[in-house]
Amino acid sequence: MTIALQCDRISKVFYEKDETKATGTPLSYRRLFRRERVPVYAVRETSFTVEKGEIFGILGPNGSGKSTLIRIIATLLYPDEGTVTVFGNDVVKQQLEVRRMINRVSVEAAFFKKLSAIENLNYAARLYGVNTKIARQRSLEILQRLGFKEQKAFVSLENLSRGMQQKVAIARALFTAPVLLLLDEPTTGLDPKSKRDVQDFVKEVQEKHDATIILTTHDMAEAERLCDRVAIIDDGRFVALDTPAGLKRKLQSPQNPAPTMDDVFFALTGKDLADELPDLED
Amino acid sequence: MHKLLYELKATMAFVERHFNLAKRYLGWEIVDLVYILVNGLTIVLIGVGGGPQQMLYLAAGALLWEFLSVLFHEVSESVSWERWEGTIEYTFMAPIRRATHLFGMCFYAVIYGSIRTIFVLGGMALFFKFDLSQANLFGALVVLFCSSISFIGLGFMAAVLPLMSPEKGSQATHIFQAIVLLVSGVYYEVSVLPAWLQPFSVISPATYTLRAARAALLDGASLADIWPDLRILLLIGILLIPLGLKVFSIGERYAMKTGKLKRNG
Ligand SMILES: Nc1ncnc2c1ncn2[C@@H]1O[C@H](COP(=O)(O)OP(=O)(O)OP(=O)(O)O)[C@@H](O)[C@H]1O
Ligand SMILES: [Mg+2]
């Protein structure tokens, strides 16, 4: 078995300005230049290994560190501690090698909004050294596969809906044939049909192209459907890591003989339905 | 060799991207061209009382400043603009060297700046019917080339500011540009500056650019005549480019440590 991704005790802390702690008068030196900073522990001592060809899911509440983890693997953030290797290449020391192997779809569509999908894809093709004709052909195939109308590829992206933009982002990430694909909430904001199309396509990429995929999602059914293994992250820490079936089995009890992924999520992240909907409590 | 070719081809990504954008903003590009032409004409008209030499003196200032400020602006603003567009992480994640990325921006800036400058030059020539028979035009082009190198280096260094401070970096590059305009003798001799400002003019590459270009255009100075200034420009450029790249990569590492690459904060 080849190891595609190895994360070894990685941690990441951000420092956020804390306006509430600001002291001194509004124009004092302290207030202007020495704002208090509070640490935000985004990822804490997380270790895991992903094998080649696996779809590895990361689930967790908002702000639990999923995107931070993805950014570290994507060479966009340096971990404060620990090491990450992609097919044996260190993400900090061998950035360029890692970048050749990966691609990422982020939650927010990262495009030049005034340009058309095709123009954005051309830009990507030139950066990744793919012939622009081949890139266009491959991405149009992918777009068609995702139910995207071809004529929409030639109008500026600001005129496309979020879901359509997301599909372009997926095509852009995939025509470069990455061996490690990082999908940060790829189906958020898609209608049920588009969601299904994207999910089918992700499965197909795994099977046909032998790609390894890291996927974050808020959709429990999606995780269950796609992922070979799922990690639940809460407050920067993995609180569980198993196959979807394994996670559910652990929660089985006489009171709940057939737990769902939702049950697993709530049980492990301590986010009870009551916490999620505090208004209903009283 | 193969790798070099790969990186060279990748620079085209930036050139093409920007020309595509310029196409989309065509209306604004035209408005901008009209504005800089009228602005240039207005400045030259100030010198009518001083005769053709004075007018040519001002025209040279307006044209060179137009070119150098576009060059500096395009390069230094590339980071803050991509942050605003939300593409910064995508571009930084691309499997190319940072130098390729930055030089791609410069290629575009040089082509774009040249087009604009030639347009204004053409407009001025039609309007004022300048007599350039005495001018050493080739010499002026060589000056422009040599000064491009140092302005590119300055641009790299300025581009790092928005990387380190998303909120204030862009403001800082504008202030920097304004100071260069003030101290480099764009529309007047640096000798008229207050004494305390004069040392700044010595370290600004634009000072040498303007002096040498004017000598070539107004007095028909030969390359040998302007060589002392060219030499300084080349030297500054050769020092500033690697320094600029180094500064940028330090800034990039800082941004990747602190999470400043992200669009918001
Ligand atoms: N660049 C940054 N600078 C400062 N703080 C950051 C930065 N990126 C993330 N954080 C903080 O780190 C924590 C984890 O954020 P992250 O984006 O990784 O969460 P997430 O699990 O992806 O959340 P969501 O489900 O909402 O996408 C949050 O508290 C966030 O505010
Ligand atoms: Mg996220």
Side-chain angles (χ1 to χ4, degrees), chain A residues 14 16 40 42 61-68 185 218, chain B residues 259 262:
Chain A
F14 294 111
E16 258 176 11
V40 177
N62 294 129
S64 55
K66 302 181 295 296
S67 299
T68 303
E185 299 183 33
H218 288 297
Chain B
K262 241 175 81 168

Side-chain angles (χ1 to χ4, degrees), chain B residues 161-227:
Chain B
L161 296 171
L163 205 56
M164 300 179 68
S165 168
E167 304 95 4
K168 303 193 190 80
S170 192
Q171 278 110 306
T173 62
H174 280 91
I175 292 174
F176 181 81
Q177 195 176 345
I179 293 173
V180 175
L181 172 64
L182 178 69
V183 303
S184 309
V186 176
Y187 301 117
Y188 41 77
E189 289 299 308
V190 290
S191 57
V192 307
L193 287 171
W196 63 274
L197 273 176
Q198 304 241 356
F200 289 99
S201 77
V202 178
I203 54 171
S204 162
T207 307
Y208 305 98
T209 310
L210 285 147
R211 194 163 68 194
R214 280 189 176 125
L217 286 173
L218 275 70
D219 312 328
S222 68
L223 281 182
D225 296 335
I226 54 175
W227 173 242

Side-chain angles (χ1 to χ4, degrees), chain A residues 123 126, chain B residues 7-18 100 104 107:
Chain A
Y123 173 63
R126 291 191 191 279
Chain B
E7 298 283 330
L8 220 65
K9 272 165 99 177
T11 59
M12 286 314 294
F14 300 94
V15 177
E16 188 187 59
R17 167 186 96 181
H18 275 274
T100 308
F107 280 157

Side-chain angles (χ1 to χ4, degrees), chain A residues 56-110:
Chain A
F56 186 87
I58 304 175
L59 303 182
N62 294 129
S64 55
K66 302 181 295 296
S67 299
T68 303
L69 205 52
I70 296 275
R71 283 198 172 87
I72 292 173
I73 302 167
T75 73
L76 291 168
L77 261 183
Y78 289 152
D80 295 333
E81 275 161 43
T83 52
V84 179
T85 55
V86 175
F87 288 96
N89 297 287
D90 190 287
V91 292
V92 176
K93 296 188 198 110
Q94 289 155 297
Q95 245 175 13
L96 207 55
E97 286 80 357
V98 173
R99 286 175 181 171
R100 289 202 185 100
M101 289 188 269
I102 61 166
N103 219 320
R104 177 180 80 127
V105 176
S106 54
V107 208
E108 64 284 349

Side-chain angles (χ1 to χ4, degrees), chain A residues 78 92 95, chain B residues 163 246-259:
Chain A
Y78 289 152
V92 176
Q95 245 175 13
Chain B
L163 205 56
K246 185 77 201 159
V247 168
F248 194 92
S249 77
I250 293 171
E252 181 181 352
R253 237 173 296 155
Y254 170 80
M256 288 188 176
K257 269 206 187 94
T258 50

